[in-house]
Each structure stands twice: as C-alpha cells, then as structure tokens.
Amino acid sequence: MNPQLLSLSPNNSSLKSRFTLGFLRALKRLNMQTSSSPSPPQTVSSSSSSSPREMCRRYLRIRIAADASMASAVGSRRAWSRTLLLKIRNRQFRSCNSSARRISMKKKCSGRKMKKLKCDKEINELRKFVPGGEAMDACSLLDEAAHYIKCLNTQVKVMTRIADIYSAT
Amino acid sequence: MSSRRSRSRQSGGSRISDDQINDLVSKLQQLLPEIRNSRRSDKVSASTVLQETCNYIRSLHREVDDLSERLSELLATTDTAQAAVIRSLLLQ
C-alpha cells in the first residue's frame, strides 16, 4: 500500500514507526470493511456515493483507530495511554467494563490532599484535555501532559504524511 | 517519585511541590511552539504556560480530527474510484 513508509527497518522500533505500522494496518482493515459492504450504485455524478452518515461513521472510526494505535504504540507505560486503551476496549466489550474502570480509578488522587497551588484553576482546566487527568495529582498531570503532547505531534505528522501520500496517488 | 510526594505531604512542604511544579512547567514550556519561539524563557508565568498547553492540546486534537476527516474522504474516493472502474468495465 505505502511502500515508503513500510520500508522502516524492524530494528528501528521507535514510537513513530510503531504508530505508523499500527495505524496503516487499521486503515487497511477499515478499507476492507467498507469495500466488502456493497455501496449503492445510485449516483454516478457525485464524487462519493456514500451517505453523510456513512462518512461520519468512517471519520469516527479513523479517529478512534488513530488514538488506539497511538495508545498501543506507547503501551501501558503511561497513565494516559492506559486510560485511552481501557476506554476503547470498554467501548468494544461493554459487558465487562466495571472491573476495568475500577482499576483505572485506583490511581493516586492525592491532588486533593496537597496544598492549594497557585495555578490550581489552570491545572484543573488541563485535566480535561489529558486522558485520565482527573485522577492524577498535579505533578503526574504535568508529566503526562508533556508526553501526551509529544505523542500527539507524532500522530499529526504521521497522519499528514499518510494523507499526502493518499492524495498524491 | 511517590516517596517524595508522601514526604511533602507530611512535612507541609508546599515549597517542595512548587519546585517540582516549576520544573515540570519549564519542561512543558519547551514543547510549546509559540512560547519557545517568541519570548525568553524566564519571563513567562506558570499559568500562561498551562493555558498555552491547554490551547495547544486542543489545537492538536482539532488537527487530528481534520486529518481523520481528510483520510476518510480519501478512503471513500479510493473505494469509489475502484467501483467506478469496475462499473465502467461491466457496462461496456
């Protein structure tokens, strides 16, 4: 599919290459899913014959695939990736989610017991943006936020490259 | 890290927490593009850095959304292109 990106040597298992491979595999799976279901041959003039709802569903699936492949490329070393992986798996297996959620919320909630910091308001604002941020104390939150930003940058770079390659062919 | 945290709670050392926070905030500052490029590092307050962090994460999320939309459109076009080719071959 994309020979340039897949020419990464297997020894160089950086975060970027792990995410790229996982995301490309997920895209291939999504592509095969949509092509197996027959698209209705109604309009020939419009560029895409899929309904808006189908487009929305595909866009969501791609975004979830991107987040999932990024979280699994990071692994369970980081709290935010663990939270994302749990959230995605809970969405798939709704029946057995109670125990998993309890484990994720067992993380230190010592943020409430610490003294009120100067930037409390901003820190609480930041909690909403980092996955699993509500359960972290301020130090972990800042640490996780730094790593999360680094990984988001990688994600954006790789997805931009993939989109450019797709639109070029 | 956990032992340091429990010690700070018992000795009432808000100074220790502030130092840790300042270290982490300066580490965050290095990652933010605007602050790193425009101003000098010692003149930016912690709350500004945290606000910029929130804005930056929000803009990155938006970029991922836009890229996902673009990729979904590209995937749809590829599908439809193949289907159109097959259809035109069948209709001939």
Side-chain angles (χ1 to χ4, degrees):
Chain A
M1 219 159 67
N2 299 309
Q4 299 110 298
L5 286 174
L6 287 178
S7 66
L8 299 160
S9 60
N11 301 330
N12 176 25
S13 63
S14 64
L15 170 74
K16 185 164 155 185
S17 46
R18 284 199 305 269
F19 166 64
T20 310
L21 285 176
F23 187 48
L24 284 177
R25 284 199 195 108
L27 279 183
K28 198 160 82 158
R29 270 200 307 268
L30 282 174
N31 214 2
M32 293 203 293
Q33 273 177 15
T34 51
S35 61
S36 63
S37 60
S39 54
Q42 42 204 4
T43 50
V44 187
S45 53
S46 65
S47 56
S48 69
S49 59
S50 31
S51 63
R53 205 201 319 171
E54 181 63 38
M55 293 282 288
C56 185
R57 221 183 303 157
R58 207 183 346 236
Y59 142 73
L60 279 175
R61 273 194 228 141
I62 290 185
R63 206 194 53 200
I64 294 175
D67 287 339
S69 21
M70 178 47 87
S72 37
V74 170
S76 35
R77 287 197 304 266
R78 286 279 167 175
W80 67 263
S81 64
R82 285 195 295 266
T83 314
L84 267 187
L85 286 173
L86 275 172
K87 213 189 296 185
I88 292 172
R89 281 181 200 151
N90 287 345
R91 190 184 277 126
Q92 291 174 348
F93 306 109
R94 272 181 214 280
S95 52
C96 53
N97 65 352
S98 52
S99 56
R101 210 169 284 157
R102 228 177 291 134
I103 292 173
S104 72
M105 294 307 277
K106 209 173 58 165
K107 245 356 201 146
K108 311 176 206 283
C109 300
S110 59
R112 308 224 183 89
K113 298 207 182 100
M114 278 176 76
K115 283 210 158 106
K116 198 158 162 51
L117 301 162
K118 281 188 301 188
C119 326
D120 232 20
K121 198 165 68 120
E122 282 84 7
I123 289 183
N124 286 332
E125 184 69 27
L126 184 58
R127 282 178 202 278
K128 299 182 203 160
F129 289 100
V130 177
E134 290 86 7
M136 297 178 203
D137 59 324
C139 290
S140 318
L141 177 69
L142 295 180
D143 197 30
E144 297 283 322
H147 191 255
Y148 187 51
I149 288 182
K150 212 167 50 148
C151 296
L152 277 180
N153 272 324
T154 311
Q155 192 174 2
V156 164
K157 260 185 239 161
V158 171
M159 286 174 79
T160 313
R161 182 95 177 96
I162 292 179
D164 287 342
I165 290 179
Y166 255 118
S167 49
T169 52
Chain B
M1 182 84 159
S2 58
S3 60
R4 213 189 304 158
R5 217 177 288 133
S6 58
R7 233 187 294 135
S8 71
R9 238 191 290 149
Q10 284 164 9
S11 61
S14 64
R15 198 186 307 157
I16 301 177
S17 334
D18 277 349
D19 278 348
Q20 276 182 323
I21 300 279
N22 286 335
D23 277 344
L24 292 168
V25 163
S26 57
K27 196 169 78 161
L28 267 181
Q29 205 176 311
Q30 298 306 310
L31 295 170
L32 300 175
E34 303 115 19
I35 300 186
R36 192 181 47 195
N37 293 337
S38 56
R39 303 207 212 153
R40 300 185 63 82
S41 50
D42 39 24
K43 287 194 192 148
V44 184
S45 71
S47 64
T48 314
V49 172
L50 290 173
Q51 269 175 21
E52 282 304 317
T53 310
C54 295
N55 295 337
Y56 190 49
I57 293 184
R58 203 181 317 151
S59 73
L60 284 175
H61 281 165
R62 218 179 305 141
E63 263 194 77
V64 170
D65 282 342
D66 288 344
L67 283 168
S68 308
E69 243 185 271
R70 190 173 153 203
L71 277 174
S72 76
E73 282 171 19
L74 285 171
L75 278 183
T77 321
T78 320
D79 271 359
T80 318
Q82 289 174 350
V85 165
I86 293 173
R87 221 180 294 133
S88 63
L89 284 175
L90 288 174
L91 287 174
Q92 277 176 355

